[in-house]
Amino acid sequence: MKTNRDKKEYWASFVQRWSGVALALFLPFHFMVLSLILQGEQVLDGFLYWAEAPLIKLAEGGLVGLLAVHLLGGLRLLIIEFFAWKEWQGYLIAIAVTGAAAAGCLFLLRAF
Amino acid sequence: MSNRVEFKLWLAHRISGMALGFFVMVHLAGMIIAIQGGLSSSEILQRTSGNYAWGLFYSLFTIAAAVHSSIGLRTVAREVLGWKGVSANVVLSSFFLGLCFVGLSAVGGLVL
């Protein structure tokens, strides 16, 4: 017997939930970095110089991917909740995964 | 909390999610365009300083993100950790207010 965990919808909602938690926990740090501008341009530049390191850029690419997957997964949820079910909606998970990977890769291609 | 309040929080999560759908698409495109060649404070300020439309966009984005992330974290705290009641509401309300304060300060620093 198949359990609920075997279904791709389970994994879609798993990714939606935990990408949201990761983004929510990242948000305070993101805002704190941006607010460094209040201490002067050189203070923010100090952080931006540090953020040029390849590992940080890779992590930023991952964050862009997480943001894109949460965005596309959220749009999928809204479509399912507000419109009658149609067969094509089954492809929305694949669209969300592909779109997120594409956004992350595009960011990295431009960052390096 | 009463069912009425829970429904209002669910609705606020969905409405902020819809607004974020638009904000995040613009933000993702902006990040992917701006990241090429690295970032500096002067380059960021060149785009943002005195740009009140940009300031309004990011102020609304900040508030929507604070609403969406706080309610989302509250749901996860209830469903995964079983953490609910006054203490969870106080912590997540503080999280919301902190995000609004730091985020809007950063927007002010970049625009004004």
Side-chain angles (χ1 to χ4, degrees):
Chain A
M1 195 179 91
K2 276 193 166 186
T3 65
N4 195 37
R5 282 166 190 256
D6 296 325
K7 294 176 185 170
K8 59 183 182 211
E9 284 80 7
Y10 169 84
W11 289 108
S13 70
F14 179 90
V15 169
Q16 184 67 12
R17 163 159 288 187
W18 294 107
S19 63
V21 169
L23 290 167
L25 296 178
F26 162 73
L27 215 46
F29 299 102
H30 187 47
F31 288 173
M32 278 191 265
V33 164
L34 287 173
S35 65
L36 290 177
I37 195 73
L38 296 167
Q39 295 171 43
E41 283 184 45
Q42 70 287 354
V43 180
L44 181 58
D45 272 331
F47 176 84
L48 292 173
Y49 177 75
W50 174 79
E52 283 294 309
L55 264 180
I56 303 298
K57 282 191 174 177
L58 269 178
E60 285 175 348
L63 276 169
V64 169
L66 275 184
L67 185 59
V69 85
H70 195 74
L71 163 72
L72 295 168
L75 291 176
R76 169 185 166 267
L77 277 181
L78 288 174
I79 290 170
I80 290 170
E81 284 183 0
F82 288 105
F83 300 100
W85 173 258
K86 298 277 190 308
E87 264 315 301
W88 63 266
Q89 288 174 11
Y91 294 109
L92 289 174
I93 293 174
I95 293 171
V97 173
T98 312
C105 290
L106 192 57
F107 177 86
L108 287 175
L109 277 173
R110 297 201 37 112
F112 283 102
Chain B
M1 285 239 181
S2 69
N3 285 342
R4 197 177 164 81
V5 174
E6 291 299 333
F7 172 71
K8 282 183 180 169
L9 288 174
W10 176 85
L11 199 60
H13 194 241
R14 287 299 185 274
I15 291 171
S16 59
M18 286 181 219
L20 285 169
F22 166 70
F23 293 139
V24 170
M25 273 190 249
V26 175
H27 187 56
L28 273 175
M31 272 194 300
I32 288 170
I33 292 166
I35 192 67
Q36 195 163 40
L39 284 173
S40 68
S41 299
S42 56
E43 191 191 329
I44 295 170
L45 285 170
Q46 215 170 22
R47 277 198 300 270
T48 61
S49 193
N51 188 340
Y52 296 106
W54 189 96
L56 178 67
F57 175 87
Y58 273 97
S59 297
L60 294 174
F61 189 179
T62 299
I63 294 166
V67 168
H68 195 73
S69 58
S70 309
I71 299 173
L73 283 180
R74 180 178 177 272
T75 306
V76 174
R78 285 167 79 92
E79 292 179 7
V80 177
L81 305 174
W83 183 29
K84 49 189 168 184
V86 177
S87 64
N89 290 333
V90 167
V91 168
L92 290 160
S93 301
S94 309
F95 182 78
F96 165 75
L97 291 172
L99 278 183
C100 285
F101 179 74
V102 181
L104 293 174
S105 303
V107 173
L110 290 166
V111 175
L112 302 175

